[in-house]
């Protein structure tokens, strides 16, 4: 977890993802990169009698929103005592020159935690997903009620090729991840999530595999996942849930909270995404209701 991408979003919950990324930067001596997540404005230029293009109000508001996001990132990283990347410090004020974008490969791997600002204009969900391929982890906010919020998360989840960490809409303890719940449902998505989460699992004091072995059929049992993690020296135990419990997001969250877990690992959309949109599912419920950090991959 040496390179972490986190979009700066100016809304009520926007700072929580930034603070969580800063915590991971300290924990893993990682380089954090952030940018203003925006949706492109409508193209609507007007012309004065002299034939000069006039910037419309939407374009102005777009630039203002990007500046607000930059100020938010500067404030949060300063409060979290995360230093600006040395190459960025030379430009002052915690930002790259206007219009520039610092590629992740432009800097050496961090040997100490630091952060950088990417001032790319019109950086929307598509940019988040594709640019995320150059990072070990993408940190996002838990989706809000509006539809645009879930598209941001799903772009990072489906397009980056890597894992995401979802920040709940509240402050999280600095040392989160000491007790980790693994929601094992036998799926390839969850197996992939476990592989990506090794840096967290190796540091945990307690890992609990939640499983319903009687409902897995020919898929690997929770006991086999326990054996897999134990072979790597991870302090792991198995908690069997009642029949069907591992398919319920509500029951997974309740069990994890009861066990005192402060991080949940869950494969995302192990059932059809369309099916979950229509009928609901464990992933959909967790995305809507989780009050703890959730680590996911697809």
């Amino acid at each position: 977890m040496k390179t972490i991408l986190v979009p700066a979003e100016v809304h009520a919950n926007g700072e929580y993802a930034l603070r969580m990324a800063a915590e991971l930067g300290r924990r893993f001596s990682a380089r954090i990169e952030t940018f203003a997540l925006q949706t492109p404005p409508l193209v609507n230029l007007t012309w004065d009698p002299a034939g000069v293009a006039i910037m419309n109000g939407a374009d102005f508001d777009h630039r203002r929103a990007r500046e607000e996001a930059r100020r938010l990132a500067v404030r949060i990283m300063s409060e979290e005592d995360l230093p600006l990347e040395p190459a960025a410090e030379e430009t002052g004020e915690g930002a790259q020159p206007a219009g520039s974008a610092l590629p992740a490969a432009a800097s050496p791997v961090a040997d100490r935690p630091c952060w950088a600002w990417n001032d790319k204009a019109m950086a929307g969900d598509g940019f988040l997903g594709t640019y995320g391929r150059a990072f070990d982890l993408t940190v996002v906010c838990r989706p809000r009620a509006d539809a645009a919020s879930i598209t941001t998360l799903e772009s990072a989840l489906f397009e980056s090729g890597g894992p995401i960490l979802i920040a709940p809409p509240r402050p999280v303890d600095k040392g989160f991840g000491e007790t980790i719940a693994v929601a094992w449902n036998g799926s390839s998505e969850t197996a992939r999530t476990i592989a990506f989460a090794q840096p967290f699992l190796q540091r945990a004091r307690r890992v609990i595999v939640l499983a319903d072995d009687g409902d897995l059929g020919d898929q690997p049992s929770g006991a086999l996942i326990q054996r897999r993690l134990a072979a790597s020296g991870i302090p792991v135990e198995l908690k069997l849930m009642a029949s069907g419990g591992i398919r319920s997001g509500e029951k997974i969250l309740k069990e994890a909270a009861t066990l005192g877990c402060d991080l949940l690992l869950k494969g995302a959309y192990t059932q059809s995404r369309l099916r979950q949109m229509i009928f609901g599912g464990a992933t959909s419920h967790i995305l809507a209701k989780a009050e703890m950090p959730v680590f996911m991959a697809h």
Side-chain angles (χ1 to χ4, degrees):
M1 297 293 168
K2 299 294 288 185
T3 55
I4 299 172
L5 181 66
V6 54
E9 301 183 68
V10 183
H11 55 70
N13 301 330
E15 72 173 71
Y16 300 127
L18 289 166
R19 292 191 187 280
M20 183 174 289
E23 161 62 16
L24 297 181
R26 290 189 296 268
R27 186 180 306 185
F28 297 117
S29 293
R31 177 184 185 273
I32 311 298
E33 186 167 332
T34 187
F35 65 95
L37 183 70
Q38 302 173 86
T39 55
L42 295 176
V43 177
N44 183 27
L45 293 178
T46 58
W47 301 82
D48 71 4
V52 178
I54 300 174
M55 183 189 304
N56 65 8
D59 209 15
F60 173 79
D61 288 343
H62 195 82
R63 292 188 180 187
R64 183 172 61 185
R66 192 161 81 245
E67 178 58 22
E68 289 176 358
R70 188 192 70 84
R71 287 198 298 266
L72 174 66
V74 170
R75 177 175 66 82
I76 297 300
M77 294 303 171
S78 176
E79 291 175 358
E80 294 292 331
D81 199 27
L82 202 71
L84 192 65
E85 185 178 53
E89 286 170 353
E90 297 174 3
T91 68
E93 294 191 323
Q96 298 300 315
S100 73
L102 179 66
S107 299
V109 175
D111 57 2
R112 64 183 179 92
C114 63
W115 76 282
W117 174 256
N118 186 325
D119 204 38
K120 178 178 175 61
M122 312 304 180
D125 294 340
F127 174 78
L128 173 65
T130 55
Y131 195 52
R133 298 168 192 166
F135 294 80
D136 296 320
L137 178 69
T138 301
V139 180
V140 294
C141 297
R142 198 189 82 183
R144 306 182 307 284
D146 56 287
S149 182
I150 189 66
T151 62
T152 296
L153 181 145
E154 291 185 345
S155 179
L157 180 67
F158 291 123
E159 300 300 329
S160 72
I164 65 172
L165 182 64
I166 305 166
R170 64 172 185 83
V172 173
D173 291 340
K174 299 288 187 185
F176 78 93
E178 290 194 351
T179 304
I180 301 176
V182 179
W184 176 249
N185 59 4
S187 70
S188 59
E189 290 87 355
T190 304
R192 185 174 178 82
T193 302
I194 291 171
F196 277 130
Q198 285 297 315
F200 290 91
L201 293 168
Q202 292 289 344
R203 289 170 174 259
R205 293 185 179 180
R206 184 186 185 200
V207 176
I208 306 162
V209 176
L210 304 177
D212 173 11
D213 284 359
D215 194 39
L216 290 178
D218 294 333
Q219 299 171 75
S221 66
L224 288 176
I225 301 305
Q226 180 187 24
R227 185 180 72 181
R228 170 191 174 181
L229 297 177
S232 296
I234 294 169
V236 59
E237 57 196 82
L238 176 64
K239 176 69 168 66
L240 295 178
M241 300 178 67
S243 179
I246 203 63
R247 308 294 177 186
S248 166
E250 181 179 6
K251 292 179 180 178
I252 290 171
L253 290 177
K254 182 177 180 181
E255 191 70 48
T258 299
L259 292 168
C261 298
D262 54 6
L263 177 63
L264 172 65
L265 269 58
K266 169 77 171 67
Y269 295 116
T270 60
Q271 296 184 49
S272 161
R273 176 169 171 262
L274 178 60
R275 176 184 175 85
Q276 292 210 33
M277 289 173 63
I278 299 172
F279 299 107
T283 298
S284 296
H285 183 89
I286 288 168
L287 292 180
K289 301 294 184 180
E291 292 295 327
M292 68 179 68
V294 181
F295 187 98
M296 282 186 163
H298 183 69

